[in-house]
């Protein structure tokens, strides 16, 4: 009689699974767009600002006053501009479960409907962010820059999400394989 249980899957070497996570397609610069590089630049700026805050507070013993506020605003920029990449790639969070159990024509129709609803949402949020930015006259607390810069960045990100969604819908419609 064997001590191994039959309902337990065989153990897999964790290194094989770890290495398979890096088996992606080769790097091609043409796969990236301008928003990717802007987001990467903001991300590295965020890293440097947070490091400066950490270094000044825990090594020098005296914190730099503007780093916390600027890090917060850079994180907002990274989040919203990163959403532009997700809109371009179609990788925003969604429930894909239902698509697998629908007929193909219904899944395509629902995908287009979701794309149009997303487009409407992006345009509405861009308009709201623009109105908020236009009404904001205050300055940032620790740096003498207008706070509206943040809201205009969010507005621009929503506009770019809308443009990338239009582009994605157009390419999907143009490359459709269904013949009626």
């Amino acid at each position: 009689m064997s001590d191994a249980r039959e309902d337990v899957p065989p153990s897999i070497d964790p290194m094989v699974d770890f290495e398979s996570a890096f088996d992606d397609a080769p790097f091609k610069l043409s796969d990236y767009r301008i928003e990717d590089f802007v987001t990467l630049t903001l991300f590295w700026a965020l890293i440097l600002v947070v490091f400066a805050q950490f270094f000044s507070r825990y090594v020098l013993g005296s914190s730099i006053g503007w780093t916390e506020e600027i890090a917060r605003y850079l994180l907002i920029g990274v989040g919203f501009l990163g959403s532009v990449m997700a809109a371009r790639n179609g990788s925003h969070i969604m429930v894909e479960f239902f698509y697998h159990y629908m007929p193909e024509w219904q899944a395509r129709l629902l995908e287009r409907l979701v794309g149009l609803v997303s487009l409407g949402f992006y345009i509405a949020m861009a308009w709201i962010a623009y109105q908020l930015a236009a009404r904001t006259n205050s300055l940032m607390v620790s740096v003498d820059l207008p706070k509206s810069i943040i809201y205009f960045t969010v507005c621009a990100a929503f506009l770019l999400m809308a443009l990338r969604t239009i582009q994605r819908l157009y390419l999907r419609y143009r490359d459709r394989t269904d013949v009626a």
Side-chain angles (χ1 to χ4, degrees):
M1 199 165 189
S2 173
D3 289 339
R5 292 181 46 184
E6 292 180 20
D7 60 342
V8 177
S11 63
I12 299 173
D13 182 19
M15 284 309 293
V16 171
D17 191 40
F18 177 76
E19 291 168 359
S20 69
F22 298 101
D23 291 341
D24 290 335
F27 175 80
K28 290 189 294 186
L29 191 61
S30 62
D31 289 341
Y32 299 94
R33 303 293 181 265
I34 187 70
E35 63 264 16
D36 300 336
F37 298 111
V38 172
T39 305
L40 182 64
T41 303
L42 284 179
F43 183 70
W44 275 103
L46 173 64
I47 290 171
L48 292 174
V49 167
V50 170
F51 178 76
Q53 181 182 28
F54 171 81
F55 185 79
S56 66
R57 179 177 292 168
Y58 295 109
V59 176
L60 301 178
S62 178
S63 181
I64 302 172
W66 54 267
T67 54
E68 185 176 341
E69 183 180 21
I70 296 302
R72 184 180 314 122
Y73 295 146
L74 287 171
L75 185 59
I76 291 169
V78 167
F80 278 98
L81 291 175
S83 292
V84 177
M85 293 187 300
R88 184 186 75 235
N89 297 328
S91 58
H92 273 294
I93 297 172
M94 66 179 186
V95 180
E96 295 179 16
F97 175 78
F98 297 110
Y99 288 102
H100 297 293
Y101 295 103
M102 292 179 175
E104 187 179 341
W105 69 270
Q106 199 174 22
R108 277 195 314 270
L109 181 67
L110 184 60
E111 182 183 10
R112 290 178 184 149
L113 180 64
V114 167
L116 290 173
V117 169
S118 297
L119 177 63
F121 175 76
Y122 299 147
I123 291 170
M125 292 309 296
W127 177 248
I128 290 170
Y130 176 77
Q131 287 181 330
L132 183 61
R135 292 180 185 157
T136 303
N137 297 322
S138 61
L139 297 175
M140 295 179 190
V141 174
S142 58
V143 182
D144 288 334
L145 291 172
K147 201 179 272 191
S148 61
I149 290 173
I150 305 305
Y151 301 121
F152 280 124
T153 303
V154 171
C155 176
F158 275 119
L159 286 174
L160 286 172
M161 281 186 258
L163 290 174
R164 290 298 186 184
T165 301
I166 290 169
Q167 178 186 32
R168 186 170 176 76
L169 287 171
Y170 171 74
L171 291 175
R172 289 277 192 172
Y173 182 75
R174 186 189 70 178
D175 297 337
R176 69 180 180 185
T177 58
D178 58 313
V179 178

